[in-house]
Amino acid sequence: MKDKKVSSHYTQQLLANERTYLAWIRTSVAIAGIGFLVTNLHFVMGDLNTEELDVFILIIGLVSVSSGVVMVIVSTVDYYRKNRDIVNGQIRPSSIKVWILSTCIFIMLGTFLVYFLLLDVI
């Protein structure tokens, strides 16, 4: 949405949309940060480093950072789309966005689960 003025009638909805966007940004930064932290801790602690585990932890880092990037892109597109829809008076649900973001989180948590299971095996 360009810097055009809109009616104050939409202020509450536009600000709620902005808060939601910022919440998604915080979540994406946290997810990328957790992946980065787990990856760094694995290599710093180094007690159980095996080649398979090292490769898998790098995958975890890549999945986490990729999930964070996807979340930023999807939430930014959705933010601008919702702003336009609010001003035009036509709200559409975000079912695709919810599926994409939920899938990113599910994949990331799944890779963490596999990592922790591998730690117990090794």
Side-chain angles (χ1 to χ4, degrees):
M1 190 166 115
K2 301 220 178 359
D3 287 337
K4 68 177 189 174
K5 302 213 183 236
V6 295
S7 169
S8 62
H9 175 72
Y10 304 112
T11 303
Q12 185 176 5
Q13 289 84 5
L14 292 171
L15 291 175
N17 187 37
E18 186 174 325
R19 285 190 300 273
T20 302
Y21 172 69
L22 293 174
W24 279 113
I25 295 298
R26 283 190 302 272
T27 302
S28 65
V29 168
I31 285 174
I34 288 169
F36 186 74
L37 175 68
V38 169
T39 303
N40 282 335
L41 283 176
H42 171 79
F43 288 111
V44 169
M45 304 285 274
D47 293 343
L48 299 172
N49 285 7
T50 64
E51 188 175 328
E52 296 85 18
L53 209 52
D54 288 350
V55 169
F56 194 74
I57 198 69
L58 288 174
I59 291 170
I60 287 176
L62 287 173
V63 167
S64 295
V65 171
S66 299
S67 294
V69 168
V70 167
M71 289 176 115
V72 167
I73 292 168
V74 170
S75 60
T76 300
V77 168
D78 190 63
Y79 168 75
Y80 285 108
R81 185 173 293 145
K82 281 225 184 328
N83 270 358
R84 184 191 64 225
D85 290 349
I86 289 168
V87 171
N88 293 334
Q90 52 184 359
I91 302 298
R92 289 174 274 188
S94 303
S95 57
I96 293 174
K97 178 184 105 173
V98 170
W99 277 108
I100 291 171
L101 298 176
S102 297
T103 301
C104 287
I105 292 173
F106 179 75
I107 290 170
M108 187 201 66
L109 293 176
T111 57
F112 284 152
L113 178 65
V114 171
Y115 172 71
F116 290 124
L117 291 173
L118 285 175
L119 276 178
D120 285 342
V121 171
I122 294 177

